[in-house]
Amino acid sequence: KQNKCMLNTRRYIMKKGRSQNARILDHLLQGKSLTQLQATKLFNCTRLASRINDLKKEGWDIDCKMVKNYNTNTHFGSYSINK
């Protein structure tokens, strides 16, 4: 039931017509960080680094911290906005 609710919420957000950049910026401005996996799930965004680059070109100060996944011995970026 919860997954169905999340899908309906995601569809509602998509129908608002707001760009991925605007939705990502809103998320970051709320003080939340964002990873590629989260961006895919929340905003159906498969190219988060490109969206972050767009926002940086607009003048937003966005930081990327590399996080290590000890289970898979890999790293991934976690983006946040510098206030």
Side-chain angles (χ1 to χ4, degrees), residues 2-29:
Q2 187 178 14
N3 288 340
K4 188 175 181 179
C5 181
M6 288 184 71
L7 285 174
N8 289 338
T9 302
R10 197 173 309 145
R11 285 187 196 122
Y12 174 75
I13 290 170
M14 294 299 289
K15 285 183 183 178
K16 282 185 169 181
R18 298 180 64 223
S19 70
Q20 285 181 340
N21 286 359
R23 290 179 283 145
I24 289 167
L25 180 59
D26 284 346
H27 183 87
L28 296 174
L29 287 172

Side-chain angles (χ1 to χ4, degrees), residues 43-55:
F43 311 119
N44 198 29
C45 175
T46 58
R47 298 188 64 219
L48 179 60
S50 293
R51 302 295 68 81
I52 295 295
N53 188 46
D54 293 343
L55 294 171

